[in-house]
């Protein structure tokens, strides 16, 4: 909802008090809200309350304060909005919207709005059921307006039935889903690995590497912001993310990462393996701390499972993306990886490039696809690089 421009029209119903909660939820979620009240709505809740919550002037008349000598521009407001929400919408307001009567500022803005319109009716049960109200709502639906229907319950009249305005949290949920459905990666599951692995030598020592996990996290955030549900398998020290679309799991060793990643692959649309997984691990892990002795000390290492290569053997409809960090013969080595690991795309970063690779907040990448097509990018922040990678995956 971040940055969305919402025009909230409040008409004269006891449910006008709920507008305060609607505004607060939108503002908390990062949206910009401008409020228009009908003159009778101002009898139910103070414009000052709604102005304070929206942090903006509230409009209810065509003319500003008489001493200001200004008028409120209904056309500008109508054009400004991404969406117009009428909540509460009384039977009277619905009738005026349907017939185009413009006897208040809210109706003038409504007629000027080019954006989608969402309506939350609020009235007593008999008014709601009345043929004229039903006809107005049906006509407005045919015009393409969306409704968040009234709810059932106790009404201000003391009667019980359908007519009360939808609860603010239901309205908020509607908009979350409404905007989510526009996101390009909605209904997709992405699997991302990030960070280093720690291969244990004994209870206090391990073999690790300099990976910070920042690139994997940037990819997870970008995919999640574009609507994907992300499983983020993170090595030690990877930053913790807090995003409703990201499920983050921490692992230690290459074997742990293998066990956490492989079962999730069959259900994923895309897997990006950005982790710097150890290629070798100690053949034996000492259960007690190894004591210092005179002379040399050797650790026998054995290969780890190559997770990316293993997923390549399981691949069906998924898109599989790997990373290659090279110091020399970069392009040739990366091309070999595409074939040997059955990848759709490889993200190459060279340690020869300043600002690329481990630990930095920036990266400089070249993407190579399965047809050996190369796309080179400038040095950018890891968030920008993540967006480039994800856009390229979408094109595959
Ligand atoms: N990878 C993996 N499992 C491993 C090792 C690597 O999934 N056990 C993945 C990494 O996440 C990365 C890619 O494979 O996406 C890196 O390929 P790799 O061949 O391991 O690169 P290098 O280790 O740099 O290759 P080489 O040893 O050939 O230099």
């Amino acid at each position: 909802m971040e940055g969305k421009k919402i025009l909230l029209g409040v008409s004269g119903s006891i449910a006008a008090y709920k507008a305060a909660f609607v505004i607060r939820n939108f503002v908390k979620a990062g949206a910009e809200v401008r409020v228009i009240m009908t003159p009778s709505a101002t009898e139910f809740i103070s414009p000052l309350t709604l102005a304070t919550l929206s942090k903006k002037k509230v409009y209810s008349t065509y003319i500003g304060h008489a001493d200001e000598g200004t008028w409120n521009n209904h056309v500008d407001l109508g054009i400004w909005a991404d969406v117009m929400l009428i909540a509460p919408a009384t039977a009277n307001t619905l009738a005026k919207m349907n017939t185009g009567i413009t006897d208040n500022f809210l109706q003038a803005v409504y007629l000027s709005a080019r954006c989608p319109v969402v309506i939350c009716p609020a009235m007593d049960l008999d008014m709601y059921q009345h043929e004229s109200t039903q006809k107005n709502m049906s006509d407005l639906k045919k015009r393409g307006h969306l409704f968040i229907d009234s709810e059932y319950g106790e009404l201000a009249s003391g009667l019980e039935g359908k007519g009360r305005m939808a609860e603010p949290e239901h309205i908020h949920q509607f908009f979350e889903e409404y905007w989510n459905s526009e996101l390009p990666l909605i209904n997709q599951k992405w699997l991302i690995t990030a960070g280093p692995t720690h291969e244990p030598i004994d209870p206090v020592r391990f073999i690790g590497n300099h990976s910070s996990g920042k690139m994997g996290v940037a990819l997870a955030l970008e995919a999640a912001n574009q609507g994907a549900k992300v499983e983020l398998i993170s090595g030690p020290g990877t930053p913790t993310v807090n995003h409703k679309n990201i499920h983050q799991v921490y692992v230690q060793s290459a074997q742990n990462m293998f066990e956490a990643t492989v079962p999730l692959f069959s259900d994923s649309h895309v897997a990006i393996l950005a982790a710097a997984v150890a290629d070798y691990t100690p053949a034996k892990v000492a259960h007690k701390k190894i004591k210092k002795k005179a002379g040399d000390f050797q650790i026998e290492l054995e290969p780890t499972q190559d997770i990316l290569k293993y997923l390549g053997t399981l691949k069906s409809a998924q898109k599989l993306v790997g990373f290659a960090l090279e110091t020399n013969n970069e392009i040739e080595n990366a091309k070999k990886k595409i074939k040997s690991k059955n990848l759709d795309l490889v993200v190459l970063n060279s340690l020869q490039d300043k600002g690329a690779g481990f630990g930095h907040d920036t990266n400089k990448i070249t993407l190579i696809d399965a047809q050996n097509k190369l796309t080179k990018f400038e040095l950018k922040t890891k968030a920008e690089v993540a967006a480039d990678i994800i856009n390229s995956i979408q094109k595959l």
Side-chain angles (χ1 to χ4, degrees):
M1 233 172 261
E2 188 75 43
K4 293 289 182 197
K5 296 179 188 140
I6 303 168
L7 204 48
L8 173 64
V10 182
S11 66
S13 152
I14 180 62
Y17 81 91
K18 290 185 182 172
F21 298 94
V22 171
I23 296 168
R24 204 178 61 154
N25 291 342
F26 280 147
V27 170
K28 252 171 104 179
E32 208 180 323
V33 186
R34 292 197 180 172
V35 183
I36 304 147
M37 301 177 80
T38 63
S40 67
T42 63
E43 308 274 342
F44 285 96
I45 185 164
S46 151
L48 183 62
T49 304
L50 303 192
T52 308
L53 289 167
S54 66
K55 303 186 177 95
K56 296 255 167 10
K57 162 182 171 172
V58 165
Y59 303 84
S60 59
T61 54
Y62 287 96
I63 313 293
H65 271 296
D67 53 356
E68 286 174 14
T70 57
W71 71 294
N72 294 323
N73 190 330
H74 55 284
V75 179
D76 279 356
L77 280 169
I79 291 171
W80 168 84
D82 291 323
V83 72
M84 183 169 193
L85 168 66
I86 318 280
T90 59
N92 184 36
T93 290
L94 291 172
K96 287 183 192 172
M97 286 170 77
N98 196 23
T99 50
I101 293 174
T102 322
D103 65 350
N104 65 39
F105 189 65
L106 172 55
Q107 295 297 335
V109 175
Y110 164 67
L111 288 191
S112 311
R114 293 178 181 174
C115 57
V117 176
V118 181
I119 301 167
C120 297
M123 64 204 74
D124 212 57
L125 76 168
D126 295 310
M127 296 172 81
Y128 182 86
Q129 292 303 346
H130 198 280
E131 214 176 303
S132 60
T133 308
Q134 289 294 322
K135 165 95 173 60
N136 286 330
M137 291 200 286
S138 148
D139 287 353
L140 290 167
K141 277 181 196 163
K142 280 185 205 141
R143 207 176 282 170
H145 296 346
L146 300 170
F147 276 75
I148 306 174
D149 203 4
S150 297
E151 294 178 3
Y152 187 94
E154 198 185 327
L155 299 158
S157 60
L159 298 172
E160 199 167 310
K162 188 172 175 182
R164 54 191 281 165
M165 188 175 105
E167 290 304 319
E169 54 274 26
H170 297 163
I171 295 174
H172 198 73
Q173 205 178 337
F174 171 93
F175 278 95
E176 274 185 341
E177 282 162 20
Y178 175 75
W179 276 310
N180 275 349
S181 68
E182 291 177 350
L183 293 173
L185 303 183
I186 196 76
N187 297 328
Q188 289 204 19
K189 288 183 181 169
W190 285 44
L191 173 60
I192 297 174
T193 65
T197 61
H198 285 181
E199 305 306 316
I201 298 170
D202 70 9
V204 294
R205 303 178 180 98
F206 60 83
I207 299 171
N209 61 64
H210 291 300
S211 169
S212 64
K214 287 178 184 170
M215 193 62 241
V217 164
L219 284 161
L221 285 170
E222 180 64 26
N225 285 338
Q226 293 199 30
K229 291 266 181 258
V230 179
E231 290 285 349
L232 178 60
I233 314 299
S234 309
T238 301
T240 301
V241 284
N242 188 7
H243 192 295
K244 69 176 172 45
N245 284 356
I246 301 178
H247 178 236
Q248 189 171 24
V249 174
Y250 278 97
V251 294
Q252 290 285 324
S253 65
Q255 181 59 25
N256 297 155
M257 192 170 271
F258 179 85
E259 285 164 12
T261 305
V262 171
L264 298 171
F265 185 60
S266 64
D267 213 18
S268 304
H269 295 85
V270 172
I272 310 177
L273 272 61
V277 187
D279 289 327
Y280 295 94
T281 191
K284 284 195 195 99
V285 182
H287 295 297
K288 289 191 184 141
K289 186 181 169 202
I290 300 168
K291 299 300 283 180
K292 177 168 62 205
K293 286 185 199 136
D296 290 349
F297 180 74
Q298 294 198 348
I299 302 172
E300 191 192 334
L301 300 176
E302 63 184 19
T304 57
Q305 281 261 29
D306 189 324
I307 309 167
L308 185 60
K309 192 168 187 170
Y310 189 79
L311 297 188
T313 65
L314 302 179
K315 193 172 85 168
S316 52
Q318 301 93 336
K319 295 291 170 209
L320 185 58
V321 181
F323 271 68
L325 179 64
E326 304 286 344
T327 52
N328 52 300
N329 254 346
E330 293 97 332
I331 306 277
E332 280 324 299
N333 285 337
K335 282 183 181 172
K336 277 186 203 150
K337 245 163 237 178
I338 295 182
K339 283 230 156 49
S340 67
K341 300 196 184 192
N342 191 21
L343 307 183
D344 297 286
L345 194 72
V346 72
V347 183
L348 167 67
N349 31 92
S350 167
L351 276 187
Q352 288 185 19
D353 287 324
K354 257 196 166 164
F358 290 153
H360 299 284
D361 289 323
T362 51
N363 205 355
K364 186 168 189 297
I365 60 158
T366 301
L367 295 180
I368 310 174
D369 70 15
Q371 285 72 46
N372 281 341
K373 188 178 149 237
L374 252 75
T375 316
K376 288 187 179 197
F377 294 86
E378 294 305 307
L379 184 74
K380 295 184 181 186
T381 65
K382 285 191 171 166
E384 290 166 335
V385 171
D388 288 338
I389 295 171
I390 287 175
N391 291 340
S392 302
I393 294 171
Q394 282 169 263
K395 285 186 201 142
L396 287 175

